[in-house]
């Protein structure tokens, strides 16, 4: 077997720097270090040396040699640049053969420590009578319908200082967390309770804000409690306090956040470095509640944090103590694990879907994809009786424009005919084309160019002006001065207040729109089509997911599932049968030690925190 690696310039320069620092080191050190750097660039937290055993290695097309595993590990630890856990060296090699860049090892240790410490203790004394009354009001009519997992999640979040609520679209994560906030406010009995709501992107923050405002209106609680429910949602970066020109934040372990409760939505999108920085910035007695779908794509950056925290598909039994509390308060009988660690009571998976019923093709295909049943999912897609799902063989690249013409005109014609920016933004969220890749004939760059050609030929846009009326743009970086964030989508429209000059209009926090001169926009791109990764945290009525006509390692079960579940009412997939089935059989496998440290049977108490230096080495 041969493993192929494509090194970036950063990988090569970092390896050369480490070799110089190491002095007298084995000749293969540069290869090992460059592969560790490359692993992080590909979304891993570490390099698993066991994966390199008994395989041929090709680096940038050339053969590369590494010694046998035991010799490799011993040789690394004998150098001056590799240390064991707790040492302060550029690279860390742990006892399981995982080779880390120092700062990623530290991020993993810090996050593990906070999760285990918070997961091991309750959130303080609970007024059980008050809690039972609140549960009865917020979750009525659950008897006879099986376990009410939303109610179980609410109990877990009130009882623990760390809680994860996972579930697919339509399982009620947001409605559950609004009720959790109300329960916590009732438990506070009028005492101040500082609550922060955050999400990874401006787009996902806006969605959470809208959902909370809509749901709290009908909440069965006093006006006083309802008035204390926050609806201001910020990005995690803004919550922590960005320092211009730095990757450090104003809030840290030395300057903790003032909040008693921090709730993070779309947690699957959060990479390890940011999650670790948020965790260590919490007060010791603060609660952390994570919401997300553990089956979605992981962050585009390093780590699959939510998946690791959820144990990668681990079953969900609870401790006997928690199960007894649930039975006493609700009558529900949740599964019990007599040997459960304290962390098991911090994870609740919502199972009932309120959006996709038993006859929903989107729901059923999503379940089949999650189960790795590619052939059965494909059969459902091709079933003409499946009204909200459809399959079409993807055309060859030279036939894409012709094949897309009608779909593009129908999908985007309504928003381009809108009479105002607000109307255009609302209509734009009716239809979206999602691509699996960024590059190539089936990638977003090529597809966006084709869509513009189609719309221009139909007379729907005028491309003689770069800032033509109706051009959709997506922000690619965070700009805190303009309050524009990675993933925000705006529409270019003439501004009557500026003699018809083009302005980019974005949704405003108050539900209106705000305008910005195009020349002030940070890095952005045209976004009729976007990658499935960029679609996370958003929902549209109809989705066309475009898969390439060839296999790629980027095509995974998580990508297909995420693309399907962006749609609220209809999905059409264009692809090749074998490519689709192969993609559904392939899972994202990001290397880290987080899952082992959280869920290993050998670890039943919070991990020790390194007392080594606090500096972070950068590469």
């Amino acid at each position: 077997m041969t493993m192929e690696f494509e090194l970036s310039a950063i990988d090569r320069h970092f390896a050369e720097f480490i070799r110089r620092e190491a002095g007298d080191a084995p000749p293969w050190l540069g290869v090992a270090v460059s592969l560790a750097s490359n692993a992080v660039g590909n979304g891993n937290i570490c390099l698993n040396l066991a994966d390199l055993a008994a395989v041929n290695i090709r680096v940038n097309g050339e053969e590369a040699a590494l010694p046998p595993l035991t010799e490799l590990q011993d040789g690394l630890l004998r150098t001056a640049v590799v240390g064991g856990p707790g040492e302060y060296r550029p690279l860390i090699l742990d006892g399981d053969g995982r080779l880390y860049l120092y700062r990623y090892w530290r991020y993993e240790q810090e996050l593990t420590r906070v999760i285990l410490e918070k997961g091991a203790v309750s959130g303080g004394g609970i007024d059980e009578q008050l809690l039972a009354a609140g549960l009865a009001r917020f979750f009525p009519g659950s008897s006879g319908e099986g376990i009410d997992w939303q109610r179980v999640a609410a109990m877990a979040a009130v009882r623990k200082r760390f809680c994860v609520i996972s579930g697919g679209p339509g399982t009620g994560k947001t409605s559950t967390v609004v009720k959790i906030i109300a329960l916590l406010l009732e438990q506070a009995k009028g005492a101040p309770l500082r609550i922060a709501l955050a999400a990874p992107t401006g787009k996902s923050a806006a969605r959470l804000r809208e959902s909370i405002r809509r749901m709290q209106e009908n909440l069965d609680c006093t006006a006083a409690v309802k008035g204390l429910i926050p609806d201001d949602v910020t990005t995690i970066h803004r919550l922590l306090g960005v320092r211009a020109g730095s990757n450090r934040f104003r809030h840290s372990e030395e300057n903790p956040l003032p909040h008693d409760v921090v709730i993070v939505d779309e947690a699957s999108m959060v990479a390890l470095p940011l999650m670790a920085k948020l965790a260590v910035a919490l007060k010791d007695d603060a609660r952390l509640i994570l919401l997300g779908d553990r089956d979605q794509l992981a962050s585009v950056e390093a780590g699959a944090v939510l998946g690791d925290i959820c144990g990668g598909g681990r079953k969900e039994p609870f401790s006997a103590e928690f199960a007894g509390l649930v039975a006493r308060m609700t009558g529900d009988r949740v599964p019990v694990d007599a040997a459960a660690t304290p962390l098991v009571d911090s994870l609740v998976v919502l199972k009932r879907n309120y959006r996709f019923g038993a006859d929903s093709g989107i729901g059923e295909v999503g379940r089949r994809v999650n189960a790795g049943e590619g052939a059965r999912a494909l059969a459902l897609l091709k079933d003409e009786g499946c009204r909200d799902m459809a399959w079409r063989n993807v055309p060859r690249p030279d036939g894409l424009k012709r094949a897309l013409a009608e779909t593009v005109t129908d999908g985007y014609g309504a928003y381009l005919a809108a009479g105002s920016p607000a109307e255009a933004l609302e209509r734009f969220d009716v239809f979206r084309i999602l691509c699996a890749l960024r590059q190539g004939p089936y990638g977003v760059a090529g597809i966006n160019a084709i869509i513009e050609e189609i719309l221009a030929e139909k007379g729907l846009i005028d491309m003689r002006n770069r800032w033509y009326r109706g051009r959709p743009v997506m922000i690619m970086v965070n700009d805190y001065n303009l309050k524009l964030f990675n993933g925000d989508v705006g529409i270019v429209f003439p501004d009557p207040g500026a003699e018809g000059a083009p302005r980019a209009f974005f949704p405003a926090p108050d539900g209106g729109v705000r305008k910005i001169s195009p020349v002030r926009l940070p890095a952005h791109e045209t976004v009729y089509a976007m990658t499935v990764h960029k679609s996370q945290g958003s929902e549209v009525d109809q989705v066309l997911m475009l898969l390439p006509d060839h296999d790629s390692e980027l095509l995974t079960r998580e990508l297909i599932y995420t693309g399907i579940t962006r749609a609220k009412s209809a999905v059409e997939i264009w692809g090749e049968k074998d490519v689709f089935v192969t993609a559904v059989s392939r899972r994202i496998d990001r290397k880290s030690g987080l899952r082992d440290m959280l869920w290993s049977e050998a670890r039943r108490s919070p991990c020790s925190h390194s007392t080594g230096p606090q500096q972070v080495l950068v590469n």
Side-chain angles (χ1 to χ4, degrees):
M1 177 182 174
T2 300
M3 294 184 69
E4 299 271 356
F5 297 90
E6 290 294 327
L7 300 184
S8 68
I10 289 177
D11 299 332
R12 296 192 300 271
H13 288 307
F14 179 61
E16 185 59 34
F17 166 74
I18 293 298
R19 284 184 60 187
R20 291 197 303 269
E21 293 296 308
D24 184 18
W28 45 259
L29 177 65
V31 174
V33 171
S34 64
L35 295 184
S37 175
N38 179 259
V40 172
N42 286 322
N44 299 290
I45 301 304
C46 58
L47 175 68
N48 192 338
L49 297 181
D51 292 342
L52 306 179
V55 298
N56 297 317
I57 298 172
R58 291 180 61 84
V59 176
N60 289 5
E62 298 182 1
E63 297 288 337
L66 288 174
L69 182 59
T70 301
E71 183 181 340
L72 174 61
Q73 292 175 285
D74 291 343
L76 286 169
L77 289 172
R78 282 196 296 269
T79 69
V81 293
V82 180
E87 295 186 74
Y88 185 56
R89 303 284 179 85
L91 295 104
I92 300 295
L93 178 63
D94 74 7
D96 294 307
R98 289 183 284 248
L99 183 63
Y100 295 82
L101 306 188
Y102 174 82
R103 63 169 159 174
Y104 285 91
W105 172 82
R106 189 168 188 84
Y107 289 145
E108 195 173 84
Q109 294 292 311
E110 289 174 334
L111 181 58
T112 299
R113 173 182 62 84
V114 172
I115 289 175
L116 290 179
E117 287 178 353
K118 290 189 179 295
V121 296
S122 67
I126 298 173
D127 185 329
E128 292 193 11
Q129 185 176 357
L130 185 61
L131 177 58
L135 292 170
R137 277 184 286 108
F138 297 143
F139 303 95
S142 300
S143 300
E145 298 181 5
I147 297 172
D148 186 336
W149 290 106
Q150 290 189 8
R151 185 165 60 186
V152 173
M155 292 186 64
V158 171
R159 180 173 177 265
K160 304 288 284 188
R161 286 184 184 164
F162 175 73
C163 183
V164 177
I165 303 173
S166 179
T171 54
K173 296 186 295 294
T174 306
S175 62
T176 301
V177 84
V178 173
K179 295 171 184 177
I180 289 169
I181 293 171
L183 290 170
L184 290 171
L185 288 167
E186 289 181 349
Q187 290 286 317
K189 300 177 181 178
L193 191 65
R194 290 165 294 188
I195 301 172
L197 300 167
T201 66
K203 178 173 55 179
S204 53
R207 277 192 57 226
L208 179 60
R209 182 187 305 113
E210 292 166 7
S211 297
I212 288 175
R213 288 176 176 173
R214 183 175 64 251
M215 291 169 184
Q216 72 183 88
E217 293 178 2
N218 301 317
L219 203 59
D220 186 7
C221 61
T222 66
V225 168
K226 193 178 296 187
L228 292 172
I229 296 175
D231 62 3
D232 181 30
V233 185
T234 184
T235 63
I236 301 172
H237 286 83
R238 288 189 68 193
L239 176 67
L240 290 173
V242 172
R243 288 178 170 172
S246 171
N247 63 355
R248 298 177 183 271
F249 295 102
R250 183 162 55 87
H251 290 289
S252 63
E253 194 167 15
E254 290 74 33
N255 180 32
L257 289 162
H259 304 93
D260 305 299
V261 182
V262 173
I263 299 170
V264 178
D265 195 18
E266 298 290 352
S268 64
M269 299 171 63
V270 185
L272 174 68
L274 184 58
M275 190 69 85
K277 290 175 182 179
L278 173 64
V280 299
L282 298 172
K283 298 188 300 180
D284 289 343
D285 59 351
R287 298 173 189 266
L288 176 62
I289 300 173
L290 304 180
L291 310 177
D293 185 348
R294 65 181 183 179
D295 297 314
Q296 273 190 200
L297 281 167
S299 164
V300 293
E301 300 175 59
V305 176
L306 186 66
D308 284 343
I309 292 173
C310 290
R314 187 190 66 85
K315 301 301 181 183
E316 296 89 32
F318 298 91
S319 71
E321 180 186 359
F322 182 66
L325 180 66
V326 172
R328 187 165 64 252
M329 289 195 163
T330 69
D332 285 336
R333 303 289 177 178
V334 298
V336 177
D337 179 0
T341 64
L343 191 59
V344 299
D345 296 338
S346 294
L347 168 64
V348 181
V349 179
L350 305 182
K351 299 175 175 64
R352 181 179 177 184
N353 200 300
Y354 297 87
R355 181 186 304 166
F356 304 128
D359 60 345
S360 165
I362 295 175
E364 183 60 22
V365 171
R367 286 188 287 272
R368 296 298 182 188
V369 168
N370 260 342
E373 299 172 0
R376 296 188 69 175
L378 185 63
L380 286 168
L381 283 166
K382 291 183 173 183
D383 184 351
E384 294 182 359
C386 187
R387 292 172 297 176
D388 56 357
M389 296 289 296
W391 171 269
R392 177 174 175 177
N393 291 332
V394 68
R396 292 178 55 84
D398 57 6
L400 275 171
K401 181 177 177 181
R402 182 173 60 254
L404 283 168
E406 183 178 353
T407 299
V408 164
T409 304
D410 291 345
Y412 292 125
Y415 103 82
L416 288 169
S420 69
E423 185 181 11
L425 285 165
E426 182 179 355
R427 292 184 180 183
F428 188 66
D429 280 341
V430 170
F431 172 74
R432 193 79 79 253
I433 294 177
L434 302 182
C435 299
L437 308 176
R438 282 198 59 82
Q439 305 300 327
Y442 300 96
V444 288
I447 297 301
N448 274 312
I450 288 174
I451 293 171
E452 283 189 312
E453 289 179 18
I454 293 170
L455 296 175
E457 290 172 5
K458 295 289 184 180
L460 296 174
I461 62 174
D462 183 358
M463 290 185 61
R464 289 175 298 179
N465 179 358
R466 177 188 178 194
W467 299 107
Y468 59 81
R469 182 187 188 277
R471 180 187 171 194
V473 291
M474 174 181 279
I475 302 302
M476 308 303 290
V477 296
N478 294 327
D479 187 318
Y480 294 93
N481 293 323
L482 292 177
K483 294 183 172 58
L484 289 175
F485 304 99
N486 188 356
D488 286 354
V489 173
I491 306 288
V492 176
F493 237 75
D495 181 12
E499 300 181 346
R503 296 288 184 265
F505 289 83
F506 293 85
D510 62 2
V513 296
R514 61 194 189 98
K515 58 188 178 182
I516 296 175
S517 172
V519 297
R520 298 184 64 201
L521 292 179
H524 58 275
E525 60 185 34
T526 302
V527 69
Y528 294 103
M530 65 177 66
T531 61
V532 175
H533 263 291
K534 282 291 185 182
S535 75
Q536 287 180 273
S538 64
E539 293 175 346
V540 296
D541 291 342
Q542 303 169 34
V543 162
L544 167 58
M545 182 158 56
L546 195 60
L547 303 179
D549 62 357
H550 58 278
D551 189 29
S552 165
E553 290 188 357
L554 296 176
L555 301 179
T556 63
R557 181 182 311 175
E558 292 85 355
L559 182 139
I560 302 293
Y561 169 79
T562 302
I564 290 171
T565 54
R566 296 312 88 201
K568 293 188 282 189
S569 59
V571 177
E572 187 171 348
I573 299 178
W574 292 11
E576 290 286 346
K577 172 185 173 182
D578 292 343
V579 172
F580 178 86
V581 173
T582 300
V584 173
S585 70
R586 181 187 291 125
R587 300 211 67 163
I588 292 176
D589 180 23
R590 291 191 169 180
K591 307 300 182 184
S592 83
L594 181 61
R595 184 183 308 174
D596 284 351
M597 287 190 287
L598 292 175
W599 294 108
S600 171
E601 289 299 314
R603 292 179 178 269
R604 296 186 173 273
S605 60
C607 64
S608 59
H609 185 48
S610 170
T611 57
Q614 302 298 305
Q615 307 101 307
V616 175
L617 294 181
V618 297
N619 62 333

